[in-house]
Amino acid sequence: MVGKIKGTGSYRPVQVWDNDKLSHMMDTSDEWIRGRTGIGQRHIASGGETVAYMAARAAEEALSDARMRPEEIDLLLVSTMSSERIMPCAACEVQKLIGAVNAACFDLNGACTGFLLALNTAQAYLGQQIYRRALVIGSETLSHLTNWEDRSTCVLFGDGAGAVVLEAEENAVYIQAAHSIGSRGEALTCVSRNQQQFIEKDADLSSTYMQMDGKEVFKFAVSKVPEVITEVLEKAGKTKEEIRFYMLHQANKRIVASVSKHMNEPLEKYPMNIENLGNTSSASIPLLLDEWNKKGRLNSGDWIILSGFGGGLTYGASLLQW
Ligand code: ACO
């Protein structure tokens, strides 16, 4: 048994900040941000737009797309590194908000690879026939973890949520590879505020915001993403030409372009929405999948590769058939 995607959904916060707005807040420009990253604007959560609220809205859309009722879900996973509450977990809050009363619920944190790792986890449960239907959600309020005085990172990130509904089927296909390189983890860090405020009383609070060695992350992504995609293609016995779309974590337009070049596959096969959403970490892949689904760009039978990479360092790729 393998989980097949039966529906997708997403949520974008109401408030939108374009690059011009940021250029009034700090010494930056639309030209610099677009040129280096491909980002033109990002959505910023406000009011009650928490990780759990956005995840619930995305989940409701995915359930409606799948024509399923919340009570039919057996497993509900939320991938996030920015949940406002440690307990209850965001997945339990989503359960309450949407009425998925029969689901086992928990959160995962695999940074920007988190959605793929959550998908792998759901597939393991479905493959063992422990559960039949799963909701897998990526939801992030990265604007809360962003140091708005650090122009080298704050221009990159945005908030949002994406969700998929999976149902176990006999003939579905899902082939994955996932890896971690903990020894290079210092390239992307964010320290817990509890740790800094209550344990190290005089600590520097700047480390409680996302910090990044941009060049190191860039090098990591452009070498490891083609490698793990090739690993999945080999495992599946597929050629790269058979793949309709490569949906990559939306960290940077130049990373996507570089992977396309490394793979010697046209950029048109690499959908992007980073211009409108920025980097939404573990929400980026389901947001992209939902956008392409809603635009009617995905046909039954299409082979799709999803690939995530990020803090940890973690990375992975998954092949599925639409
Ligand atoms: N506006 C204007 N100038 C800026 C800004 C800004 N927002 N940020 C930095 N600069 C300046 C720097 O101060 C520096 O100026 P200097 O030459 O006078 O010292 C200059 O621009 C170059 O700065 P670099 O940090 O060297 O810029 P770089 O070319 O490396 O681009 C970037 C930075 C876009 C982050 C790049 O390293 C990158 O693409 N990294 C990939 C990592 C990534 O995308 N991470 C996203 C999050 S992680 C993830 O999702 C996996």
Side-chain angles (χ1 to χ4, degrees):
M1 284 291 199
V2 171
K4 177 140 181 132
I5 295 180
K6 295 291 182 176
T8 65
S10 61
Y11 181 80
R12 293 161 178 73
V14 175
Q15 193 177 192
V16 177
W17 289 7
D18 64 14
N19 293 342
D20 287 337
K21 178 174 171 78
L22 297 192
S23 71
H24 288 105
M25 293 163 62
M26 65 198 77
D27 182 14
T28 190
S29 64
D30 181 56
E31 190 191 359
W32 193 95
I33 302 170
R34 273 184 196 275
R36 302 275 171 140
T37 70
I39 298 166
Q41 63 170 41
R42 71 284 297 140
H43 291 249
I44 301 289
S46 60
E49 291 174 319
T50 61
V51 161
Y53 172 83
M54 297 192 301
R57 296 288 302 270
E60 280 166 348
E61 249 191 45
L63 283 168
S64 152
D65 189 36
R67 294 187 177 80
M68 268 181 219
R69 287 174 291 115
E71 315 84 89
E72 293 178 282
I73 297 298
D74 310 308
L75 175 68
L76 196 168
L77 302 180
V78 174
S79 162
T80 186
M81 61 172 181
S82 51
S83 191
E84 291 77 8
R85 294 173 96 178
I86 293 169
M87 197 164 60
C89 66
C92 282
E93 291 194 82
V94 174
Q95 175 185 43
K96 182 171 74 177
L97 289 167
I98 69 173
V101 289
N102 296 312
C105 307
F106 60 95
D107 292 358
L108 291 92
N109 175 2
C112 305
T113 317
F115 177 77
L116 274 197
L117 298 172
L119 206 52
N120 293 347
T121 306
Q123 290 288 6
Y125 277 106
L126 268 43
Q128 290 295 310
Q129 300 185 40
I130 298 168
Y131 298 124
R132 227 181 121 220
R133 293 184 178 122
L135 241 175
V136 183
I137 309 166
S139 183
E140 304 282 6
T141 47
L142 298 180
S143 60
H144 299 168
L145 302 179
T146 299
N147 182 353
W148 290 101
E149 288 176 2
D150 174 10
R151 67 174 183 170
S152 67
T153 55
C154 73
V155 301
L156 304 173
F157 300 105
D159 301 333
V164 301
V165 174
L166 296 174
E167 185 169 39
E169 278 189 5
E170 288 277 0
N171 299 318
V173 178
Y174 185 80
I175 292 165
Q176 66 84 32
H179 304 284
S180 307
I181 322 174
S183 59
R184 289 170 71 185
E186 293 310 308
L188 264 166
T189 59
C190 185
V191 173
S192 150
R193 268 170 218 170
N194 289 343
Q195 164 77 11
Q196 291 302 77
Q197 285 174 327
F198 301 117
I199 301 174
E200 297 174 27
K201 292 244 182 279
D202 302 319
D204 173 11
L205 285 182
S206 63
S207 65
T208 65
Y209 296 110
M210 283 182 288
Q211 296 188 323
M212 172 181 78
D213 178 342
K215 288 193 171 58
E216 180 64 18
V217 175
F218 196 95
K219 272 193 287 180
F220 150 71
V222 299
S223 65
K224 291 298 178 188
V225 173
E227 205 176 285
V228 75
I229 290 176
T230 305
E231 183 183 343
V232 164
L233 286 170
E234 281 169 6
K235 260 190 184 176
K238 294 256 164 256
T239 62
K240 57 188 185 175
E241 291 77 17
E242 289 175 84
I243 306 304
R244 176 91 201 281
F245 289 120
Y246 296 89
M247 297 202 168
L248 270 48
H249 164 50
Q250 302 286 290
N252 189 309
K253 182 180 79 176
R254 292 186 303 144
I255 292 176
V256 178
S258 171
V259 171
S260 146
K261 203 166 154 205
H262 264 74
M263 295 296 300
N264 198 18
E265 280 283 86
L267 200 52
E268 300 79 70
K269 289 173 84 167
Y270 291 76
M272 279 190 258
N273 60 5
I274 191 168
E275 183 177 6
N276 295 326
L277 297 178
N279 178 346
T280 58
S281 188
S282 73
S284 83
I285 292 174
L287 273 160
L288 189 62
L289 202 51
D290 181 55
E291 191 172 325
W292 251 243
N293 183 23
K294 283 196 181 120
K295 283 180 172 162
R297 303 282 311 273
L298 305 175
N299 299 317
S300 176
D302 281 350
W303 292 101
I304 296 168
I305 283 187
L306 312 177
S307 180
F309 50 93
L313 299 173
T314 53
Y315 62 103
S318 300
L319 171 81
L320 53 90
Q321 192 170 30
W322 195 251

